[in-house]
Amino acid sequence: MIGALRSWTTYTPLLAVLLLGAVWGRDLGAVVTTLVALVLAGAILAAVHHAEVVAHRVGEPFGSLVLAVAVTIIEVALIVTLMVSGGKDSSSLARDTVFAAVMITANGIVGLCLLVGAARFGLAVFNAEGTGAALATVATLAALSLVLPTFTTSRPGPEFSAGQLAFAASASLLLYATFVVTQTVRHRDFFLPVGGASDDDEHAAPPSDRQALVSLGLLLLALVGVVGLAKVESPAIESGVAAAGFPHSFVGVVIALLVLLPETVAALRAALRDKVQTSLNLALGSAMASIGLTIPTIAIATIWLDGPLLLGLDPTQIVLLGLTVVVGVLTVVPGRATRLQGAVHLVLLAAFVFLAINP
């Protein structure tokens, strides 16, 4: 562990903060912009690594919760910094990013882990009670925050009024908090891996309190670097999407892909160890935290941000979300899945990405 603490995951958060101090408020050339992007990606990976160390110390299902919250903090930071940078299209950035996160987690990560788990072990086995509760919470949160604004009439366009936004934010926090209590206190056995999941991690001694505290400090440092470097890098992200000829809404997809890459790797590793339940905890927990924590935070941020906050999905996105929920229910109910279910979810993700590029 000491060697691990001296690895790149130790130095990258420090480098990110130092680089942030060097480039803050300056016009950057192409080379420096590329360097900032690389360090930003490294800081995200380092943050999730240290979150995993803390998660190993506290154990499952608390570990999945730590990872989900850490990833959501990074996501919120990227959204807010890009919204602060302005632009006429930033009013829908929160919606685009949260919806992309839901589709990537509920279809991409879930589909990939089910496919890998079923291909390697014959069937991907998980706990239907816990996974079903998580899916139901994600579906409710998505409907309250992303579907209802399309149909409300207090404001023109897919936008909540102030009272409606306050209600949606409060309901999201309440649902997320209730789920966390259910997952970690009342019914935590519903969210533990089932079947013959055994590997070295299962028997490895957890890190000491000191090691966990060191990782917690480095995690906080990495998050500071991510927030600051995201602000520095935001013009390059938007310029890159525009140069590729993609709609501005694809910026949200880029943010979600960047943030969820480490989470995807962690979930895939769990699936390869026949711990599909942990993979689903990570995937659906991230989707839930993305809505349940991001929307309330953005709602508070609108006090200082100029312009409207457009949250309502368009008809195509609503169809994709509805299909994702229906397929998810049919996948979860049996408590086990084959490669077919994984392939179906991955096709839904491909449809989402294709329509995001070519609406």
Side-chain angles (χ1 to χ4, degrees):
M1 176 62 72
I2 297 299
L5 289 176
R6 292 175 180 172
S7 69
W8 66 271
T9 57
T10 300
Y11 299 120
T12 301
L14 300 173
L15 176 61
V17 173
L18 291 175
L19 181 61
L20 174 62
V23 302
W24 186 262
R26 300 186 181 183
D27 294 329
L28 307 181
V31 175
V32 178
T33 298
T34 302
L35 176 62
V36 170
L38 292 174
V39 175
L40 173 60
I44 292 174
L45 292 170
V48 175
H49 166 79
H50 291 296
E52 286 181 328
V53 173
V54 177
H56 189 200
R57 182 69 184 90
V58 300
E60 282 293 329
F62 297 95
S64 298
L65 179 63
V66 171
L67 285 170
V69 171
V71 167
T72 303
I73 290 173
I74 297 172
E75 178 185 332
V76 171
L78 289 168
I79 293 173
V80 171
T81 51
L82 285 169
M83 291 182 71
V84 168
S85 67
K88 61 183 178 63
D89 295 316
S90 64
S91 59
S92 62
L93 181 61
R95 175 198 67 193
D96 298 333
T97 305
V98 170
F99 180 60
V102 171
M103 296 301 291
I104 291 169
T105 53
N107 286 318
I109 300 180
V110 168
L112 182 62
C113 291
L114 292 180
L115 183 63
V116 168
R120 184 162 185 175
F121 300 102
L123 281 175
V125 182
F126 49 88
N127 196 320
E129 290 91 344
T131 307
L135 180 62
T137 308
V138 170
T140 302
L141 288 171
L144 286 175
S145 299
L146 301 178
V147 177
L148 284 183
T150 302
F151 300 99
T152 54
T153 57
S154 297
R155 292 280 182 89
E159 182 183 356
F160 273 145
S161 67
Q164 290 167 342
L165 181 60
F167 171 79
S170 301
S172 297
L173 280 175
L174 178 61
L175 271 178
Y176 184 72
T178 303
F179 177 83
V180 169
V181 172
T182 301
Q183 183 186 38
T184 59
V185 180
R186 302 295 297 178
H187 300 286
R188 64 186 300 260
D189 55 310
F190 287 180
F191 301 89
L192 297 177
V194 297
S198 62
D199 61 291
D200 293 339
D201 287 346
E202 203 70 20
H203 302 95
S208 65
D209 290 342
R210 176 181 175 275
Q211 291 164 342
L213 286 174
V214 170
S215 281
L216 179 60
L218 290 171
L219 170 62
L220 295 175
L221 196 63
L223 292 177
V224 170
V226 167
V227 173
L229 292 179
K231 170 64 176 174
V232 172
E233 192 71 10
S234 58
I237 294 175
E238 294 179 321
S239 298
V241 169
F246 297 162
H248 188 271
S249 59
F250 198 76
V251 172
V253 181
V254 173
I255 294 174
L257 287 171
L258 178 66
V259 170
L260 292 170
L261 177 60
E263 195 93 348
T264 303
V265 173
L268 183 58
R269 286 175 179 170
L272 288 171
R273 300 193 300 265
D274 199 17
K275 294 165 64 176
V276 174
Q277 183 62 53
T278 299
S279 301
L280 298 180
N281 288 347
L282 287 167
L284 297 178
S286 293
M288 197 182 310
S290 181
I291 307 173
L293 298 180
T294 300
I295 297 300
T297 303
I298 298 299
I300 295 173
T302 57
I303 299 174
W304 298 279
L305 296 174
D306 296 327
L309 177 63
L310 304 182
L311 291 176
L313 300 174
D314 64 36
T316 301
Q317 293 170 324
I318 292 175
V319 170
L320 286 173
L321 178 61
L323 188 56
T324 296
V325 172
V326 171
V327 171
V329 170
L330 295 175
T331 297
V332 165
V333 167
R336 56 184 185 174
T338 67
R339 284 172 283 189
L340 175 60
Q341 282 95 333
V344 171
H345 282 282
L346 290 175
V347 167
L348 282 175
L349 175 67
F352 160 70
V353 174
F354 176 77
L355 292 173
I357 296 173
N358 187 20

